[in-house]
Amino acid sequence: GENVEQHPSTLSVQEGDSAVIKCTYSDSASNYFPWYKQELGKRPQLIIDIRSNVGEKKDQRIAVTLNKTAKHFSLHITETQPEDSAVYFCAPNFSGGYNKLIFGAGTRLAVHP
Amino acid sequence: DTAVSQTPKYLVTQMGNDKSIKCEQNLGHDTMYWYKQDSKKFLKIMFSYNNKELIINETVPNRFSPKSPDKAHLNLHINSLELGDSAVYFCASSQGRGSGNTIYFGEGSWLTVV
């Protein structure tokens, strides 16, 4: 099945704090796990992704960790800044052979100065 | 030099009308998509074409008809518009159709049906 759950739905942090968003998926054959950021009124943009043969990937202040056994992956943002405020979507691929991403419901992150 | 461009950006139309949204990508990608984002921000794939061939066709009313004249263009035509069709429609593209190809989104087309 194509079930993706994302938590929390909203997250409010102080500037400089860390933020963690978790995504749980149902398709055990999923092998590609991206995170997209969507600012208000803008398009979704890829910020980081990970493939199933890797457990963790880091790019400056953002990181993604993957637990394939438990079927979940998480987005970690450290030293948050006001410009990190946006909606974040996890979008694991559905394993039907094509590049079909199943988006979570999104997490609205607010970073307060 | 926008990578994935779609027109129009805003569209307000009456119920029952027929409208089209056009999309073009200049990335040289083989695969294009249409996604719908509703008022609650749920983002869902509608269609995907690879080199003009339809490869993904989700459960979408047949009032929605995609057309790909060539691999750089994917247009979306909607017949007999309904209030529930109001949403943001995103065109997107990726290098290939296989899993793991990064998907790049256009700016979105805001459709309001009144």
Side-chain angles (χ1 to χ4, degrees):
Chain A
E2 304 173 5
N3 194 34
V4 177
E5 293 187 3
Q6 195 174 325
H7 298 282
S9 56
T10 59
L11 182 56
S12 183
V13 300
Q14 289 297 124
E15 184 176 359
D17 287 350
S18 295
V20 181
I21 304 169
K22 184 175 176 180
C23 184
T24 305
Y25 59 94
S26 61
D27 187 352
S28 57
S30 292
N31 59 5
Y32 175 62
F33 308 93
W35 284 95
Y36 279 80
K37 175 184 180 182
Q38 186 177 28
E39 297 176 3
L40 188 62
K42 301 285 182 66
R43 70 182 114 188
Q45 290 191 286
L46 178 73
I47 54 170
I48 195 166
D49 59 11
I50 194 168
R51 284 163 172 78
S52 58
N53 57 346
V54 176
E56 182 174 358
K57 182 177 178 181
K58 191 172 180 180
D59 182 3
Q60 298 184 347
R61 296 187 297 108
I62 60 172
V64 55
T65 57
L66 171 64
N67 184 328
K68 275 219 83 178
T69 304
K71 290 191 281 187
H72 66 73
F73 61 113
S74 298
L75 176 69
H76 305 255
I77 307 174
T78 58
E79 300 171 36
T80 53
Q81 301 167 4
E83 52 264 38
D84 294 330
S85 297
V87 179
Y88 291 82
F89 294 95
C90 64
N93 72 314
F94 178 62
S95 63
Y98 294 125
N99 201 20
K100 179 178 170 182
L101 302 183
I102 306 301
F103 280 77
T107 296
R108 187 174 299 276
L109 172 65
V111 180
H112 302 285
Chain B
D1 59 345
T2 305
V4 181
S5 58
Q6 47 185 115
T7 56
K9 182 158 185 169
Y10 300 102
L11 184 55
V12 181
T13 188
Q14 291 189 325
M15 276 196 305
N17 283 350
D18 303 338
K19 291 294 176 186
S20 292
I21 306 172
K22 296 187 175 183
C23 179
E24 175 182 5
Q25 54 93 5
N26 63 4
L27 295 165
H29 288 171
D30 285 341
T31 310
M32 295 185 72
Y33 311 80
W34 278 109
Y35 279 81
K36 178 181 179 181
Q37 187 169 43
D38 65 21
S39 57
K40 294 184 179 178
K41 299 293 187 186
F42 289 116
L43 195 57
K44 190 166 165 52
I45 189 168
M46 301 172 69
F47 303 102
S48 177
Y49 272 73
N50 185 73
N51 225 339
K52 301 193 297 177
E53 176 194 358
L54 180 65
I55 57 171
I56 296 175
N57 186 355
E58 291 296 280
T59 308
V60 177
N62 57 16
R63 298 182 294 104
F64 290 78
S65 53
K67 281 190 173 48
S68 182
D70 56 62
K71 74 173 193 176
H73 295 83
L74 180 61
N75 304 321
L76 182 65
H77 188 75
I78 316 170
N79 288 328
S80 304
L81 278 155
E82 300 177 357
L83 292 176
D85 297 332
S86 296
V88 184
Y89 292 85
F90 286 99
C91 179
S93 72
S94 63
Q95 180 68 57
R97 67 181 191 178
S99 174
N101 277 277
T102 300
I103 293 180
Y104 298 88
F105 287 86
E107 300 276 357
S109 294
W110 272 253
L111 173 64
T112 302
V113 182
V114 297

